[in-house]
Amino acid sequence: MTSTPAIPRHIAIVMDGNGRWAKARHRPRSFGHNAGRKAVREVVEGCLRQGVEALTLFAFSSENWRRPQDEVGALMELFVRALDKEVDELLQQGVRLRFIGDLAAFDAPLRKRMHAAMARTAGNDRLHMNVAVNYGGRWDIVQAARRAAAAVGRGELRAEDIDEATLGRWTSLAELPPLDLFIRTGGECRISNFLLWQAAYAELHFTDTLWPDFDQACLQRAIDDYASRERRFGRTGEQVARARPTQDSAC
Ligand code: IPE
Ligand code: IPE
Ligand code: MG
């Protein structure tokens, strides 16, 4: 028995392992990135079926610009193709699509497509799907700090009044439920500068499955793993056990 609800409200995924998946098939890395689109569809469907409220996917990190130019180019083309092809389906499924990250780094046509996709799906709220592009957890904290500093400069906020709640409101995803479950595919057990602020109390699930092979059964395994955890948020197990009947009856 744990006090963890069976279904996480907000899941984030580091979609890793595309390159190794392609290499095992003697194909270029871009083949693996393209194959990862099916896994994205799988997790969206899985989240919709389970009633997960928010899904945040790491598609391109602020560090991924360091990759060979042809791979970065192939990824940009893939984003454009995916935007052109998948948004209708997302719209019909009731998915609200948002991009998080420093979008200013992308060329104007791609930015335009991103903003158009966000605007088209803005009326949906069955699933909030956030795609992190040119995103870094440190960047996110820095941009929140900049906004706080600007508010101080305008005289709207006193520096001594900046607390976790104030800064948190300026970080990405602040309007969504807190991150419950952080999944990383591809076998690496690291965060790679993803949601540093938001993952403070997320449950972590690492799997060796390479991203293109990740399907609804894999998602279910991650959710089952999550449901088996006892989330204590600094309290003792006994305190959590005592609080449980009150929490349950409040639902
Ligand atoms: C993740 O897969 C996708 C991106 C970072 C864009 P990788 O491309 O990192 O795949 P591996 O880790 O090399 O297998
Ligand atoms: C993290 O994967 C970024 C994405 C999945 C988009 P990487 O493959 O870039 O991470 P590192 O470099 O192995 O830490
Ligand atoms: Mg990788």
Side-chain angles (χ1 to χ4, degrees), residues 37-47 214-217 219:
R37 275 167 68 178
K38 182 171 164 286
V40 172
R41 281 186 226 114
E42 286 274 323
V43 291
V44 168
E45 266 164 44
C47 286
F214 198 84
D215 60 12
Q216 291 191 47
L219 180 68

Side-chain angles (χ1 to χ4, degrees), residues 15-20 29 33 59 64 67 71 75:
M15 308 184 289
D16 196 23
N18 297 349
R20 281 163 281 165
R29 295 177 60 85
H33 297 315
N64 287 147
R67 293 193 176 199
E71 181 170 349
L75 281 165

Side-chain angles (χ1 to χ4, degrees), residues 230 232 235-242 244:
E230 182 178 68
R232 293 193 284 275
R235 295 188 181 85
T236 66
E238 290 71 23
Q239 285 177 300
V240 171
R242 271 202 302 277
R244 197 171 297 135

Side-chain angles (χ1 to χ4, degrees), residues 161-171 174 197:
D161 290 336
I162 299 175
D163 56 13
E164 291 181 17
T166 317
L167 205 58
R169 274 195 289 277
W170 276 310
T171 57
W197 178 281

Side-chain angles (χ1 to χ4, degrees), residues 141-158:
I141 295 167
V142 167
Q143 65 83 27
R146 268 200 206 128
R147 287 158 77 169
V152 171
R154 289 193 302 268
E156 294 164 10
L157 181 66
R158 294 187 316 165

